[in-house]
Amino acid sequence: KTLEEIGAGKIPSLYVFNKVDLMESIPRIRSAEIRRFLGDQEFVLCSTLTKEGLPALREKIIEKVSAQDTLKT
């Protein structure tokens, strides 16, 4: 909602949750909780310490940039 209020609602976004290595419960459970909160918004769980989720983050960033490049041409 905030992005829409400032005129940036059409800019692709990706929520990144770092430090999943510190999560107390199974990441899949946390993922379900995050999904309920964010709805259809895309997100990635990662840990820069253990490198968990970093390949997925990289892929999502590439997808977003590629989609933007496609729209510009």
Side-chain angles (χ1 to χ4, degrees), residues 13-15 35 38 40-44 60 63-64:
S13 61
L14 175 66
Y15 291 87
R35 175 63 56 215
L38 292 179
D40 292 339
Q41 298 294 322
E42 289 187 84
F43 68 93
V44 176
K60 288 290 184 181
E63 281 177 27
K64 297 281 185 187

Side-chain angles (χ1 to χ4, degrees), residues 8-23:
K10 302 232 185 249
I11 296 173
S13 61
L14 175 66
Y15 291 87
V16 179
F17 295 89
N18 190 22
K19 300 192 178 204
V20 296
D21 54 291
L22 299 178
M23 287 184 166

Side-chain angles (χ1 to χ4, degrees), residues 18-68:
N18 190 22
K19 300 192 178 204
V20 296
D21 54 291
L22 299 178
M23 287 184 166
E24 293 178 12
S25 64
I26 302 169
R28 277 182 256 140
I29 294 171
R30 291 287 186 196
S31 183
E33 292 172 6
I34 292 167
R35 175 63 56 215
R36 278 194 300 275
F37 178 73
L38 292 179
D40 292 339
Q41 298 294 322
E42 289 187 84
F43 68 93
V44 176
L45 302 175
C46 65
S47 167
T48 55
L49 179 66
T50 66
K51 310 297 186 235
E52 177 185 354
L54 293 183
L57 175 59
R58 182 174 188 264
E59 288 301 315
K60 288 290 184 181
I61 292 170
I62 290 169
E63 281 177 27
K64 297 281 185 187
V65 171
S66 295
Q68 284 299 104

